[in-house]
Every structure is written in structure tokens, then in C-alpha cells.
Amino acid sequence: NSHVTVRRSRFHGITTGFIGGNNAHFFITNTGPGTQGKYWSFQDNEFYDVNTGYGLLGYSAERVLIEDNVLHHIGNHAVGPKEGTAMWFIRNNRFFANPNLYL
């Protein structure tokens, strides 16, 4: 779970999620006890149509770049850096039509 690049992709249609179920187009997490993913990059992607959940959700991940993406119509939060995250760079993205603002 390190050195991953996701570019120029479209992710949509998680419409049967439920609160508390970690619903996300991308769910970044560690690979096992005592490990942490590093160096993730999400660039020029589109995330949309999540009725309850996240566009990007992360636990135990550091050095994550989220840049030049479009995130819209996401029911929970567009981006969710959670426990064990550090050095997330979220820049130059377009967020719109998300009921819970941005992060």
C-alpha cells in the first residue's frame, strides 16, 4: 500500500451505502499491524454519486497528494483523512454539490 498513483479516472455510483460502513470510492489503509501506507497520489480524477460515504477515505496513510480532482454529489464528506494520517496535501480540487462541505 505504498507508491500508488491514480490518475485520469472516473469513480461513481456508490448508492447503497450506510452510515458507519466505510463507504468510499477509495479507502486507503495500512497493510497490517504496525505498517503505514505512504506516497499515494490522486490527480485529475472525478469522484461522484456517493449517497452516504466519502470520495476518498484514509486511515494510517501518510504523504498523500490529492490534486486537480473534481468531487461532487458525495453524501458524507468528499475527502476524509482519519486516524493515523499525516502530510496530506489537498490542493487545486473542485468541490461542489456536497451537502457536508469539503473535508
Side-chain angles (χ1 to χ4, degrees), residues 19 50-55 71-79 95-103:
I19 294 174
V50 180
N51 69 344
T52 303
Y54 293 79
L71 299 101
H72 60 95
H73 295 94
I74 297 174
N76 198 346
H77 298 283
V79 178
F95 298 93
F96 65 92
N98 300 310
N100 292 317
L101 297 174
Y102 320 118
L103 302 174

Side-chain angles (χ1 to χ4, degrees), residues 58-103:
Y59 290 88
S60 299
E62 64 180 42
R63 294 179 174 92
V64 176
L65 172 65
I66 301 169
E67 180 179 57
D68 297 325
N69 299 287
V70 178
L71 299 101
H72 60 95
H73 295 94
I74 297 174
N76 198 346
H77 298 283
V79 178
K82 298 288 190 164
E83 183 179 341
T85 59
M87 299 178 70
W88 278 47
F89 304 95
I90 303 168
R91 60 186 185 210
N92 202 39
N93 298 286
R94 280 188 59 212
F95 298 93
F96 65 92
N98 300 310
N100 292 317
L101 297 174
Y102 320 118
L103 302 174

Side-chain angles (χ1 to χ4, degrees), residues 4-48:
V4 177
T5 299
V6 179
R7 233 174 139 224
R8 297 181 182 149
S9 299
R10 180 181 286 170
F11 304 94
H12 63 92
I14 298 180
T15 58
T16 59
F18 59 96
I19 294 174
N22 292 332
N23 301 305
H25 286 307
F26 259 91
F27 181 53
I28 307 167
T29 190
N30 61 346
T31 57
T35 63
Q36 186 163 16
K38 295 180 182 178
Y39 305 109
W40 285 75
S41 175
F42 294 90
Q43 294 178 295
D44 291 325
N45 300 294
E46 183 178 16
F47 299 86
Y48 64 99

